[in-house]
Amino acid sequence: MGLVSAKDMLQKARKEGYAVGQFNINNLEWTKAILLTAQECNSPVILGVSEGAGKYMCGFKTVASMVSAMIDDLGITVPVALHLDHGTFEGSYKCIEAGFSSIMFDGSHYAIDENVAKTKELVAVCEQKGISLEAEVGGIGGEEDGVVSAGECADPAECKMISELGVTMLAAGIGNIHGKYPANWAGLSFDTLSAIAEAVGSDMPLVLHGGTGIPEDQVKKAISMGVSKVNVNTECQLVFAEATRKYIEEGKDLQGKGFDPRKLLAPGTEAIKAIVKEKMEMFGSVNKA
Ligand code: 13P
């Protein structure tokens, strides 16, 4: 059916109390692994593309063409949204132009008035084109494509302001960070999440970034409190690297045609499939397509 906006899948998730996974893609193998797993799990899925990953894959047009063609060639029938992750204002327009079905404009590093103004402009553009839009309030800790933030908790009043602009979903910092969590991490701030959920109302899907390494009980609790989208990136990279390293350390690339990229990249691809399946089960999106 081609790419779809993330709006319907997230509103359904918000109502029914589960979350849709956003898995970031880096290349063809990543994309194929995630799409096949979503189909196998009969789960909706969001493919995340950061501006850096878009550049790496030659540009947003290449990405949009690859994903659309792959949905067709693989016979994928579950809902798939192609989503810009942590977009700049300019990057958002580029992805809209390139055929993405969902955009995240991350204005969290601007003063709230500027975040509001820019988000508002994009709401109008996205609405007209049937594209879903994610906004962000309060920085997600760690590094997001060069922007470093300490992982502050978002202000519920600011969340309310942004959510009233007509965005599809809202990412709000609740102590979550990108990448691996440090040993002394305090955990998610459920008090903040509760205040935000209350401020934005029960129809607004909330987004939990930094899905890698959050303990399962905290993920599930966050979902029960209004999180309808969980982003996972680093974890797929870690399992891919680990499986690939094992293959090479066992000398398998030196046996027969083990150096063939279709063989060399297979264990990593299978590892991504396994982790995506595990996450879809954890988030409750299996059989929700
Ligand atoms: P992780 O890399 O920590 O899983 O975070 C992913 C993310 O939030 C992408 O926006």
Side-chain angles (χ1 to χ4, degrees):
M1 74 162 131
L3 295 170
V4 297
S5 147
K7 187 172 181 175
D8 290 351
M9 62 172 96
L10 291 179
Q11 281 184 349
K12 183 169 180 281
R14 183 71 182 88
K15 256 190 214 98
E16 295 181 19
Y18 60 92
V20 178
Q22 172 191 308
F23 301 95
N24 287 47
I25 59 171
N26 291 287
N27 59 20
L28 182 141
E29 281 75 14
W30 240 259
T31 313
K32 185 177 170 186
I34 297 163
L35 288 179
L36 286 174
T37 308
Q39 185 70 21
E40 185 193 312
C41 293
N42 192 30
S43 167
V45 72
I46 298 169
L47 301 179
V49 180
S50 67
E51 294 201 0
K55 208 174 192 179
Y56 174 77
M57 289 184 273
C58 304
F60 298 129
K61 280 190 210 150
T62 302
V63 176
S65 306
M66 174 182 75
V67 173
S68 297
M70 209 185 274
I71 288 172
D72 212 20
D73 278 342
L74 293 176
I76 302 295
T77 55
V78 297
V80 180
L82 177 60
H83 181 78
L84 171 64
D85 190 27
H86 294 288
T88 59
F89 194 60
E90 299 71 30
S92 298
Y93 276 103
K94 278 190 192 152
C95 286
I96 292 167
E97 172 90 358
F100 277 48
S101 63
S102 190
I103 301 292
M104 175 192 191
F105 165 60
D106 181 357
S108 62
H109 50 286
Y110 292 116
I112 186 68
D113 290 349
E114 191 163 0
N115 191 359
V116 166
K118 288 186 154 71
T119 302
K120 196 171 172 183
E121 183 180 317
L122 285 166
V123 165
V125 177
C126 289
E127 228 165 50
Q128 201 225 337
K129 296 188 179 281
I131 293 173
S132 42
L133 180 67
E134 175 177 343
E136 179 171 326
V137 179
I140 314 293
E143 196 195 310
E144 307 169 353
D145 251 341
V147 181
V148 181
S149 149
E152 77 233 41
C153 284
D155 173 1
E158 291 186 357
C159 292
K160 184 171 160 56
M161 220 188 283
I162 295 271
S163 75
E164 283 171 348
L165 300 174
V167 299
T168 319
M169 53 199 137
L170 180 70
I174 54 168
N176 42 329
I177 62 172
H178 289 113
K180 288 183 184 174
Y181 284 83
N184 62 353
W185 178 53
L188 295 177
S189 169
F190 291 107
D191 289 345
T192 307
L193 177 55
S194 160
I196 291 168
E198 166 121 28
V200 302
S202 60
D203 292 336
M204 177 57 61
L206 296 172
V207 183
L208 181 61
H209 281 249
T212 296
I214 301 177
E216 180 164 354
D217 58 326
Q218 292 191 37
V219 171
K220 287 188 165 159
K221 187 170 175 187
I223 293 172
S224 77
M225 293 171 72
V227 163
S228 316
K229 173 174 177 276
V230 182
N231 292 5
V232 178
N233 181 16
T234 307
E235 211 157 328
C236 291
Q237 301 183 0
L238 290 170
V239 297
F240 181 88
E242 189 187 342
T244 308
R245 175 160 32 81
K246 186 164 174 275
Y247 182 88
I248 292 174
E249 278 178 358
E250 286 173 355
K252 292 196 174 148
D253 57 319
L254 302 172
Q255 295 163 17
K257 283 253 177 131
F259 56 83
D260 179 335
R262 288 175 234 165
K263 292 199 169 80
L264 180 65
L265 300 179
T269 305
E270 288 305 315
I272 293 174
K273 281 187 190 168
I275 197 80
V276 169
K277 184 164 189 247
E278 192 184 308
K279 297 294 178 191
M280 286 176 166
E281 283 165 354
M282 189 193 293
F283 302 161
S285 70
V286 173
N287 285 327
K288 299 288 187 183

